[in-house]
Amino acid sequence: FLLALVLVLRWSRYEAIATVEIDQPAVPSSVTAPASISAATGMTGSAMIADMVMGGVADRRISQAFQKVTMADSLMGVITELNLYPSLNQKLEPEKLAEIMRNKLELSFISANSATPMMAQMLSKSADQASSLAFTLRFQYSDPALAKQAVDALLKRLITAEAHERHEQTRETSNFLAAELQSIESKLADEEKKVAEFRSQFGDSGTNMLIFNQQANMSTNITLQSVEGQISTSEATLGTLRGQLAATDPYLPIIEEGETLNTPTAQLKSLQAQYASLSGRYGDKHPDVLKLREQIAALKKEKGSKSSAVKRDADNPVFLQLTAQIAAMEAQKKSLISQRDSLKAQQQKLEQKIAADPMVEQKMSQLMLDLLNTKEQYSVIKAKKAAA
């Protein structure tokens, strides 16, 4: 009896075979997204098309889904729905009955190497997206119609399990890409800020401004040499004018009733002569000698101050003209010195820009490259998120 029972359980006269093509997904392979699987079921020639979510290595995903479908609860649902193994349904436990059906199931994959020429040509569209081009599901049973119905039911469960798994993967991928996109947006904003700050600091440097800075530096150098020459000329002119001023008396001779009155210089010489005569005659303590000494001291003090300041009561036109020329020349020299200092500072700034140009260009190129790479990465992640 036991031997007969084993032979009955293991012996099946019909086998239903379903061959399922794995289609290529219509979205980038790096993004979890839906595709389709078309399934053609075997023995009676009937066919069915079902959608299945694709992505990654096909055989690994389908094997995982097959393990879920062939669990005891899933197989018992098919057995109950189609009333398979009616003679054993009430005698064996569900786990044992599911094990019997599981032993009659076989999942195998078809690769490009193992496919027939006609099938390989038909399935070659998806060769670059999946490790296998197709797979077959076989089931043995004593009744041919039930065998086919069982394969159809198992395929539907397999496709549903795969769709659920891919949906979860897609959702997780979408959430992950959203977080990555937010991080890249922050990074992109920081890099754009760096580029803006760098351009604000070194906007007049770099390749575009190198020729301009060189020409400006050359022009500044020529102007600086001209100003230096003008300063030298001003200093020489000032020396000549000051010499002429020193030799010019600030006062004109005063002629009254045909007699020429002494100027302060002539008066000083007259007083000195009188002082020498009176001091020799009366001595140093005589009141007239003391009075002459005070007058001589006052005239000397007044004459000594003439070299540093223009006398307010000077009336010699030559003296006044020389004084005015000296004042104008000193103002011109002061202006030229200020212009020279400004040109030197400008020249130093231009030379620093020219010297720093290679470094600035390299830094700007690096910043722009980082910004470009981040923008490209942002576009890729954004496209992947949209696809997901």
Side-chain angles (χ1 to χ4, degrees):
F1 175 78
L2 291 178
L3 179 59
L5 180 61
V6 170
L7 290 176
V8 170
L9 294 178
R10 296 183 59 87
W11 178 265
S12 298
R13 286 167 291 179
Y14 299 97
E15 183 179 57
I17 305 174
T19 302
V20 183
E21 176 188 356
I22 304 174
D23 287 345
Q24 177 180 351
V27 296
S29 59
S30 57
V31 179
T32 304
S36 64
I37 287 184
S38 61
T41 56
M43 190 189 68
T44 61
S46 63
M48 61 172 288
I49 302 294
D51 290 335
M52 175 178 275
V53 180
M54 278 280 300
V57 181
D59 49 2
R60 179 179 61 83
R61 297 193 324 275
I62 295 171
S63 298
Q64 293 175 352
F66 182 73
Q67 291 177 0
K68 295 180 180 179
V69 170
T70 55
M71 294 179 65
D73 294 341
S74 178
L75 290 179
M76 283 304 301
V78 176
I79 293 174
T80 303
E81 177 185 353
L82 300 179
N83 193 22
L84 302 178
Y85 309 108
S87 60
L88 303 176
N89 198 356
Q90 301 297 328
K91 299 178 180 179
L92 299 178
E93 297 178 355
E95 289 77 7
K96 296 293 184 180
L97 197 59
E99 181 67 21
I100 293 175
M101 185 175 182
R102 190 179 299 113
N103 291 333
K104 299 295 183 178
L105 289 170
E106 179 183 354
L107 178 70
S108 59
F109 294 93
I110 302 174
S111 63
N113 296 328
S114 61
T116 62
M118 183 178 299
M119 182 177 293
Q121 183 178 3
M122 179 182 63
L123 301 177
S124 60
K125 299 178 182 179
S126 58
D128 58 340
Q129 292 292 331
S131 58
S132 297
L133 302 179
F135 67 90
T136 60
L137 180 63
R138 300 169 181 266
F139 176 61
Q140 297 178 358
Y141 194 69
S142 58
D143 186 287
L146 291 178
K148 178 190 176 302
Q149 293 177 15
V151 168
D152 289 343
L154 291 171
L155 274 179
K156 290 179 181 179
R157 291 172 180 263
L158 180 63
I159 291 172
T160 301
E162 173 68 3
H164 178 74
E165 180 181 353
R166 295 306 298 155
H167 176 76
E168 290 299 317
Q169 291 181 5
T170 301
R171 183 181 59 82
E172 293 175 1
T173 302
S174 179
N175 294 337
F176 172 78
L177 291 176
E180 286 293 310
L181 194 62
Q182 184 176 3
S183 175
I184 293 177
E185 286 177 350
S186 177
K187 181 180 178 182
L188 186 61
D190 292 340
E191 292 183 354
E192 288 178 344
K193 183 179 179 182
K194 289 180 181 178
V195 171
E197 291 176 350
F198 191 83
R199 282 179 173 171
S200 176
Q201 183 177 1
F202 300 99
D204 50 357
S205 299
T207 304
N208 296 333
M209 296 296 296
L210 178 59
I211 298 178
F212 174 80
N213 290 333
Q214 290 175 342
Q215 292 177 349
N217 185 45
M218 185 181 301
S219 176
T220 302
N221 188 39
I222 294 174
T223 306
L224 182 60
Q225 291 177 359
S226 175
V227 171
E228 292 279 5
Q230 294 179 36
I231 291 175
S232 300
T233 302
S234 298
E235 291 176 348
T237 304
L238 279 172
T240 302
L241 292 173
R242 285 168 181 163
Q244 294 176 1
L245 183 66
T248 304
D249 197 317
Y251 301 100
L252 289 174
I254 300 174
I255 300 175
E256 185 176 343
E257 296 180 356
E259 295 182 0
T260 302
L261 300 181
N262 291 331
T263 63
T265 302
Q267 291 176 6
L268 179 61
K269 291 180 180 180
S270 177
L271 290 174
Q272 287 175 343
Q274 294 178 24
Y275 177 79
S277 175
L278 290 177
S279 62
R281 183 186 303 177
Y282 301 112
D284 294 338
K285 302 298 183 180
H286 192 272
D288 292 339
V289 174
L290 294 176
K291 183 178 179 180
L292 286 173
R293 186 187 299 170
E294 291 178 357
Q295 291 178 352
I296 290 172
L299 284 173
K300 283 184 177 180
K301 183 178 181 182
E302 183 179 358
K303 184 176 177 61
S305 63
K306 181 183 71 171
S307 59
S308 59
V310 178
K311 287 181 173 295
R312 294 182 180 179
D313 56 348
D315 57 358
N316 189 346
V318 177
F319 181 87
L320 295 176
Q321 183 179 4
L322 289 173
T323 302
Q325 290 178 354
I326 289 174
M329 191 59 63
E330 287 178 344
Q332 181 180 358
K333 178 184 175 182
K334 183 178 180 181
S335 175
L336 290 172
I337 292 175
S338 176
Q339 184 180 359
R340 179 188 64 183
D341 295 340
S342 177
L343 289 172
K344 284 185 176 180
Q346 183 178 355
Q347 186 181 41
Q348 183 179 6
K349 186 177 180 181
L350 289 171
E351 289 176 350
Q352 290 176 351
K353 290 178 182 179
I354 295 172
D357 182 80
M359 180 196 67
V360 172
E361 182 66 19
Q362 182 180 6
K363 181 64 176 178
M364 177 59 75
S365 298
Q366 183 63 42
L367 289 175
M368 292 304 298
L369 181 61
D370 293 341
L371 180 62
L372 182 62
N373 290 337
T374 304
K375 285 184 177 180
E376 183 177 357
Q377 185 180 8
Y378 176 80
S379 299
V380 172
I381 296 297
K382 189 173 182 180
K384 288 183 177 181
K385 181 180 180 299

